[in-house]
Amino acid sequence: MNIILLGSPGAGKGTQATELEAATGMKHIASGDMFRAAVREGTPLGTLAQSYLDKGELVPDDVVIGMVLERVQQPDCENGVIFDGFPRTPQQAEALQAALAEHNDAINAVLLLHVDKDVLIQRVIGRWTCRKCQAVYNTYFRAPKVEGVCDLCNGDLYQRSDDNLETINHRLDVYEAQTSPLIAHYRTQGILHEINGLGEIDDITARMVQAIESAKPC
């Protein structure tokens, strides 16, 4: 079984991908990690992709699809794949479906992690990270006991330079523009599942697992 994970910046995709791996045995494949690994390992497709990057050009969809197929055929993907960060457009989605079909495979479900914009903004602009142990806090949802000090190691807390209102608003606008056609594409196919991304991590994971179970082929 293969699924695609969608969600705006701050929706918690990374956290949920890790939880879903543990709950289902499926392999989380982040497109950026896959891409960098192919280039680093010098695979034929990775080398081809690097040749486009060296010229400042976009890597063609067929090369990216080739790397995806190369990756999903590895042993650690035998229980299925959680795609994160790919596809990004309806054209890539159609190309991925066609390529998987040639290997008697398919995308079985698309999980859209939905969180209200106001909450997303609070998650980002309220985020603080410990310089020492990397523990994460949030002014609105999980404030430290002492302002600016980590509860675990007493390290200093800091905010990333891009964790500000202007940047997150821009990122959300870009996400909306890029992803809306993709969401519509999968909704038309009848495989889109909208998941409430609010609440405890375990509760959100349970909702996602339930959607995956309901989408399993008979």
Side-chain angles (χ1 to χ4, degrees), residues 33-51 67 70 74:
D33 294 342
M34 175 196 69
F35 206 92
R36 286 187 289 272
V39 171
R40 182 177 63 252
E41 293 166 9
T43 69
L45 286 170
T47 301
L48 180 58
Q50 187 64 54
S51 70
M67 284 194 290
E70 190 175 66
Q74 294 180 18

Side-chain angles (χ1 to χ4, degrees), residues 94-171:
E94 291 171 358
L96 177 61
Q97 286 278 33
L100 289 172
E102 290 180 1
H103 292 78
N104 297 315
D105 216 340
I107 297 298
N108 305 101
V110 178
L111 306 186
L112 173 60
L113 198 58
H114 179 73
V115 179
D116 290 339
K117 184 175 180 179
D118 289 347
V119 176
L120 290 171
I121 290 174
Q122 288 181 330
R123 284 183 178 180
V124 173
I125 67 173
R127 182 166 54 197
W128 292 81
T129 304
C130 177
R131 294 186 186 277
K132 188 175 180 180
C133 72
Q134 303 305 304
V136 178
Y137 299 86
N138 190 286
T139 303
Y140 302 99
F141 307 113
R142 185 177 175 253
K145 295 175 182 176
V146 178
E147 185 176 349
V149 179
C150 177
D151 294 349
L152 302 177
C153 70
N154 292 322
D156 293 332
L157 303 183
Y158 75 99
Q159 278 194 304
R160 285 170 32 176
S161 59
D162 58 346
D163 282 351
N164 59 70
L165 186 58
E166 181 180 359
T167 300
I168 186 56
N169 272 322
H170 175 69
R171 290 174 64 197

Side-chain angles (χ1 to χ4, degrees), residues 180-212:
S180 287
L182 190 61
I183 292 171
H185 172 80
Y186 284 123
R187 182 177 285 118
T188 299
Q189 288 194 350
I191 60 174
L192 182 74
H193 300 259
E194 297 193 48
I195 310 295
N196 179 2
L198 297 178
E200 297 296 325
I201 291 174
D202 289 347
D203 293 337
I204 299 168
T205 304
R207 294 171 201 149
M208 301 185 89
V209 170
Q210 184 177 22
I212 292 171

